[in-house]
Amino acid sequence: QQPVQSPQAVILREGEDAVINCSSSKALYSVHWYRQKHGEAPVFLMILLKGGEQKGHEKISASFNEKKQQSSLYLTASQLSYSGTYFCGTSSGGSNYKLTFGKGTLLTVNP
Amino acid sequence: DGGITQSPKYLFRKEGQNVTLSCEQNLNHDAMYWYRQDPGQGLRLIYYSQIVNDFQKGDIAEGYSVSREKKESFPLTVTSAQKNPTAFYLCASSIGWTTEAFFGQGTRLTVV
């Protein structure tokens, strides 16, 4: 079952912030975040493992709340290059390597 | 250079024909995945494999088949039983669920 992402789409002006949410009905052991430009392969942003950690780079970070089975991706001071579709992928861990992705959030950053 | 390669990039087939999409990786990854991408549907898991000679159905396996005879290779066959095969297909590999998945460049399949 696919994790649920929200919002489905967001439009920003350069320099604005955005939050993309990902939630699952199943217990999570890891959450992956990827960005895909049109017609290209998804590119890895970060992975969060069970433990409620927050990680990321200076302008793109993420949190993981395994009790709520949710993760959020934070984009601050957005740049034009941030435009694309963002996907979260989730895994229930253990001996099962199944990795399931959401429907994506289309982010458009305008000048 | 290590990576994951899908071929061909574009593929056209007539309705009723089976077609096989290639996916090869030289990253020494145990796990390999096939996803289907349609507009507005995100990445839907077709099949995945954790080890050679073993694979599991994903969420939309009907009409597809796979094999994993070698660690590097995970071909996907789209059979004539797949009712709506036209889509963008992505292959990925990883060490496991705790690590980054690397994606191929995808194959766009059009069935006419």
Side-chain angles (χ1 to χ4, degrees):
Chain A
Q1 192 170 9
Q2 290 181 286
V4 177
Q5 287 186 233
S6 63
Q8 289 184 322
V10 59
I11 299 174
L12 301 174
R13 285 194 176 273
E14 207 172 359
E16 291 182 336
D17 302 340
V19 180
I20 299 172
N21 300 303
C22 175
S23 64
S24 174
S25 58
K26 295 184 176 182
L28 299 178
Y29 280 75
S30 69
V31 179
H32 301 222
W33 286 98
Y34 293 78
R35 177 172 60 215
Q36 184 182 33
K37 303 278 187 178
H38 184 69
E40 298 180 5
V43 173
F44 176 76
L45 293 175
M46 65 191 73
I47 183 171
L48 300 100
L49 304 179
K50 185 179 178 181
E53 62 182 283
Q54 181 160 351
K55 64 188 299 185
H57 310 289
E58 52 180 60
K59 292 185 177 180
I60 300 178
S61 61
S63 63
F64 178 24
N65 186 328
E66 74 262 23
K67 285 186 180 179
K68 293 186 176 181
Q69 294 158 194
Q70 293 176 347
S71 177
S72 294
L73 184 71
Y74 307 95
L75 301 108
T76 58
S78 59
Q79 305 169 9
L80 297 177
S81 61
Y82 286 6
S83 293
T85 301
Y86 289 77
F87 293 100
C88 72
T90 58
S91 174
S92 297
S95 59
N96 190 332
Y97 287 13
K98 187 177 183 180
L99 179 60
T100 306
F101 286 89
K103 292 186 177 183
T105 295
L106 177 61
L107 178 74
T108 303
V109 181
N110 292 320
Chain B
D1 286 336
I4 181 165
T5 302
Q6 289 186 244
S7 61
K9 190 171 182 179
Y10 298 97
L11 191 54
F12 294 87
R13 278 295 182 268
K14 289 187 176 180
E15 194 173 339
Q17 291 181 335
N18 291 354
V19 60
T20 298
L21 282 58
S22 170
C23 179
E24 303 276 334
Q25 53 99 358
N26 60 3
L27 300 165
N28 200 32
H29 286 170
D30 286 321
M32 295 189 75
Y33 306 84
W34 274 106
Y35 294 92
R36 169 179 172 143
Q37 189 169 28
D38 299 282
Q41 297 298 316
L43 302 170
R44 292 186 290 169
L45 182 62
I46 304 172
Y47 270 96
Y48 64 105
S49 168
Q50 297 177 198
I51 197 169
V52 173
N53 293 322
D54 188 42
F55 46 83
Q56 286 78 41
K57 292 182 179 180
D59 300 316
I60 56 165
E62 186 175 347
Y64 299 97
S65 65
V66 293
S67 63
R68 186 88 186 274
E69 297 177 0
K70 298 186 296 182
K71 190 174 186 177
E72 317 81 75
S73 179
F74 191 40
L76 173 74
T77 296
V78 185
T79 75
S80 56
Q82 168 50 235
K83 296 191 187 326
N84 187 15
T86 295
F88 187 53
Y89 291 87
L90 283 162
C91 179
S93 71
S94 72
I95 296 173
W97 56 264
T98 60
T99 58
E100 171 186 358
F102 290 81
F103 283 85
Q105 291 302 306
T107 293
R108 188 165 297 279
L109 173 65
T110 302
V111 176
V112 295

